[in-house]
Amino acid sequence: VQLQASGGGLVQAGGSLRLACKASTRTFMNYDLGWFRQAPGKEREFVSVVNWSGINKAYADSVKGRFTISRDNGLNTVYLRMNTLEPEDTAVYYCAAKQRHQPNFGSGAVDSFAFWGQGTQVTVSS
């Protein structure tokens, strides 16, 4: 599975962005899709995940109520809507895919995701 993320940019605190990640695969619905982020000098961290059907979702505590994950299985695309952005949200954002029906769906473990996109930079100015 090849993943291509887009939609990053520079935004002021309190603003919004929508990231998109398009997958190149004929079996998009075989995968759960996630978003992670990595700030300079920090480890990659889980942001959100959506299951293959789009029904089940999980979020990191730091983004709950501000970020919304969704997917369009007809377009092979997963989205991350980010509202009320804070300077602490500044990072490179990565989309990732893992086979569906794995245990611990919402755990956000980095090593459970086998496929990764190239990342898109999000910068939030104060």
Side-chain angles (χ1 to χ4, degrees):
V1 179
Q2 292 186 324
L3 302 168
Q4 180 72 39
S6 62
L10 173 64
V11 64
Q12 289 187 332
S16 299
L17 282 174
R18 189 181 77 159
L19 306 183
C21 177
K22 187 168 180 65
S24 298
T25 175
R26 294 183 179 182
T27 57
F28 187 64
M29 291 180 67
N30 283 352
Y31 300 94
D32 298 338
L33 278 297
W35 288 97
F36 291 76
R37 66 186 182 186
Q38 188 166 18
K42 295 187 177 181
E43 293 187 354
R44 192 168 297 190
E45 65 174 2
F46 167 73
V47 175
S48 185
V49 61
V50 60
N51 81 326
W52 66 274
S53 69
I55 293 176
N56 294 326
K57 304 174 183 181
Y59 297 92
D61 288 343
S62 59
V63 306
K64 278 181 182 176
R66 300 188 298 122
F67 291 11
T68 302
I69 193 169
S70 61
R71 64 189 288 164
D72 186 328
N73 287 338
L75 296 178
N76 278 20
T77 302
V78 61
Y79 303 97
L80 186 69
R81 177 67 179 182
M82 306 185 293
N83 294 330
T84 320
L85 283 161
E86 303 168 352
E88 293 73 23
D89 296 316
T90 295
V92 177
Y93 282 70
Y94 298 89
C95 57
K98 63 176 179 176
Q99 292 282 349
R100 70 183 191 183
H101 299 321
Q102 290 188 37
N104 302 316
F105 160 74
S107 71
V110 171
D111 58 7
S112 67
F113 288 78
F115 306 97
W116 292 83
Q118 87 289 359
T120 185
Q121 176 71 47
V122 172
T123 303
V124 184
S125 63
S126 57

